[in-house]
Amino acid sequence: MSQRLRWRNSRQSLRRRLLTTLLVPLTALLLLNSLITYIGALIYANHVHDVNLVNDTVTLVQMMATKSPDGRVSPQAQFLLEYEPEGRNYFSVFSARHGLVAGNPVLKPPGGLFIDGTRPQLYDVQIERHALRAASIQMANPREPGDQLEVTVAETLRDRRLEARQILLLSIPAQALLIIAAFLLVWLGVSTGLRQLEPLTNQLANREHDLAPIGDAQVPVEILPLTRTIDGLFARLRGMLALHERFIADAAHQLRTPLAGLSVHAERAQASSDQATIKDALNHIQRLILRANRTSSQLLALTRAQTAEHEIGDTERLDLAAVIPELVGQRVHEALAADIDLGYDGPTGPLWIEGDRHRLQEMLDNLIDNGLRYAGRGSLMTVSLERESNAICLAVEDNGPGVPPTWIERLGERFFRVPGSEEQGSGLGLAIVQRIAEWHNARVRYRSGSSGLGLRVEIVFPQARDA
């Protein structure tokens, strides 16, 4: 029981994955929004303090012009200018002739800073490892005509940053509540959206042996690829079941006659004491067993050819000019035993295709078997290769009795045998050739022999692209 629970917990949840996928960006959005809020608050605090700093500088200038004509600053005014609860502020008054008049001697506008007497100039400065924001302005020395005073007021950045953090802390709860509300809405939307899959799930669960397509009606657009993939799977399953049913029907149809014959000749052998009759019955039984064995083998081969589909790695580059002579050579001894002259004719250069060697061998074996069976003793059979534009033609031709033009179009049909043929066959050989050729995207052509006699079967393969 615990193992089953662990297995369920280890399974992936679409709802959990969707919520996690949405929660991570929402959390990142909250952090980004907090950073933007802090930067905005800092910009606002800097603006407010800069305005106050400018006003303090102007106030100091006005005080010096009216109440302190000698440029001196009273201790009370100096205390107010430098007071800060957590540190200190700074000011300075420099005379062009006499140097420092009042304030901190370190606080002096940097060289190259343009200062006029109309509006204080703002800039950043560092004193005693403290970052300061300063405002400087020039004024005429009321005590000495021709002398200029540089008045500077500076303050630390602590208050600015403190106000920015306070604004951020005030905004975070509201933003967090907004993100939580958005997450809850997303969770509700995901749960509601996933419930739309329940009718489809129930529909599939209620099916037993129904492989009809689901269709696109009442299916959300987002899962249409899934349902169409399932429909494709159903179609392949229907095709496989149809092939299996056809195989069973074909096997029952083709094996019924040999099995009936086996029963008859077995009864003959059992009922007779004549050795000649028993031997004849056993000979018939052996031929029927061979026929049933060949029929079952060809039925299996046809089923494999019909169910096979291209998959990655199924095909390879094959040189037919090297493969076909080798396969033909493997059948020479059978042709000699059947008193048939089997030969090969083809170019010396390579002929490349994309194919499967085992399927090519099965196809060529069926073509050669067809010739050995129906061409007749003393016949000539030739396997040839030749180029046709961007294609390669594999042909198997014999000079036997051939096939009347009326029946040529039906060659390749399952279980079709030319009427009047004395040879016993299953009618599956050329059907297997047809299916294997289709697997290779090749065309099959049936013609009379070049001399007007016999049968010529041509398989036209597309040439490999980079050949």
Side-chain angles (χ1 to χ4, degrees), residues 61-72:
V61 169
Q62 292 175 351
M63 182 188 69
M64 293 179 61
T66 57
K67 297 182 180 181
S68 182
D70 58 351
R72 306 290 178 179

Side-chain angles (χ1 to χ4, degrees), residues 37-38 40-42 44-45 160-173 175:
T37 301
Y38 177 76
L42 187 59
Y44 175 75
R160 302 167 183 242
R161 295 169 180 171
L162 181 60
E163 291 177 6
R165 285 196 295 268
Q166 289 175 347
I167 295 175
L168 175 62
L169 293 176
L170 290 174
S171 64
I172 283 180
Q175 295 175 4

Side-chain angles (χ1 to χ4, degrees), residues 162-359:
L162 181 60
E163 291 177 6
R165 285 196 295 268
Q166 289 175 347
I167 295 175
L168 175 62
L169 293 176
L170 290 174
S171 64
I172 283 180
Q175 295 175 4
L177 289 176
L178 183 62
I179 294 296
I180 292 173
F183 178 76
L184 292 176
L185 291 176
V186 168
W187 179 82
L188 180 62
V190 169
S191 300
T192 304
L194 292 178
R195 278 199 291 270
Q196 296 182 8
L197 300 178
E198 292 180 0
L200 177 61
T201 304
N202 295 332
Q203 177 186 351
L204 293 175
N206 293 331
R207 291 190 178 192
E208 293 184 357
H209 304 289
D210 184 10
L211 295 178
I214 299 173
D216 297 344
Q218 298 180 350
V219 175
V221 177
E222 290 76 12
I223 63 171
L224 273 179
L226 174 62
T227 57
R228 290 172 179 173
T229 302
I230 294 175
D231 286 344
L233 176 62
F234 283 171
R236 291 192 294 273
L237 288 176
R238 290 195 302 272
M240 292 179 62
L241 291 176
L243 285 175
H244 292 165
E245 293 174 358
R246 184 183 300 172
F247 173 79
I248 293 173
D250 293 343
H253 177 268
Q254 292 297 313
L255 296 178
R256 181 171 56 247
T257 300
L259 291 177
L262 286 173
S263 177
V264 170
H265 291 293
E267 291 176 357
R268 282 181 57 205
Q270 290 176 344
S272 176
S273 58
D274 182 28
Q275 294 296 324
T277 302
I278 295 175
K279 184 177 180 179
D280 181 67
L282 292 176
N283 289 334
H284 279 85
I285 289 175
Q286 184 177 16
R287 286 195 297 269
L288 290 172
I289 291 175
L290 292 175
R291 177 182 173 185
N293 183 42
R294 175 175 174 76
T295 300
S296 60
S297 299
Q298 287 198 310
L299 282 172
L300 290 173
L302 179 62
T303 302
R304 286 195 302 268
Q306 288 174 327
T307 57
E309 294 183 359
H310 279 289
E311 295 181 0
I312 298 176
D314 275 354
T315 60
E316 59 178 331
R317 281 173 53 87
L318 296 174
D319 179 11
L320 290 184
V323 173
I324 298 302
E326 178 183 349
L327 298 180
V328 172
Q330 298 175 5
R331 304 300 304 274
V332 170
H333 64 286
E334 296 180 42
L336 293 175
D339 193 19
I340 292 179
D341 184 4
L342 176 62
Y344 168 77
D345 182 21
T348 57
L351 300 173
W352 295 102
I353 68 165
E354 294 289 337
D356 179 78
R357 181 185 178 93
H358 299 292
R359 290 184 174 91

Side-chain angles (χ1 to χ4, degrees), residues 320-321 324-325 343-349 351 382-387 393:
L320 290 184
I324 298 302
Y344 168 77
D345 182 21
T348 57
L351 300 173
T382 304
V383 179
S384 62
L385 285 172
E386 60 183 8
R387 296 184 184 274
C393 178

Side-chain angles (χ1 to χ4, degrees), residues 313-463:
D314 275 354
T315 60
E316 59 178 331
R317 281 173 53 87
L318 296 174
D319 179 11
L320 290 184
V323 173
I324 298 302
E326 178 183 349
L327 298 180
V328 172
Q330 298 175 5
R331 304 300 304 274
V332 170
H333 64 286
E334 296 180 42
L336 293 175
D339 193 19
I340 292 179
D341 184 4
L342 176 62
Y344 168 77
D345 182 21
T348 57
L351 300 173
W352 295 102
I353 68 165
E354 294 289 337
D356 179 78
R357 181 185 178 93
H358 299 292
R359 290 184 174 91
L360 285 176
Q361 181 174 4
E362 188 170 8
M363 178 179 66
L364 185 61
D365 284 343
N366 277 278
L367 289 173
I368 294 177
D369 286 342
N370 190 72
L372 295 178
R373 183 177 295 273
Y374 297 105
R377 303 183 67 85
S379 299
L380 177 67
M381 183 188 304
T382 304
V383 179
S384 62
L385 285 172
E386 60 183 8
R387 296 184 184 274
E388 289 188 4
S389 184
N390 292 327
I392 299 171
C393 178
L394 167 65
V396 178
E397 179 180 350
D398 63 69
N399 61 352
V403 177
T406 307
W407 306 112
I408 282 185
E409 293 184 357
R410 296 197 58 186
L411 294 178
E413 295 182 8
R414 295 165 53 252
F415 305 118
F416 173 75
R417 298 179 66 252
V418 177
S421 175
E422 297 180 357
E423 290 292 333
Q424 297 293 324
S426 61
L428 295 174
L430 294 181
I432 295 173
V433 171
Q434 188 82 28
R435 299 291 88 76
I436 295 178
E438 292 172 357
W439 190 92
H440 285 86
N441 297 320
R443 306 188 313 274
V444 181
R445 299 186 302 217
Y446 301 99
R447 299 177 178 176
S448 297
S450 56
S451 60
L453 300 174
L455 176 67
R456 179 181 175 89
V457 182
E458 299 176 344
I459 297 92
V460 183
F461 295 90
Q463 186 174 270

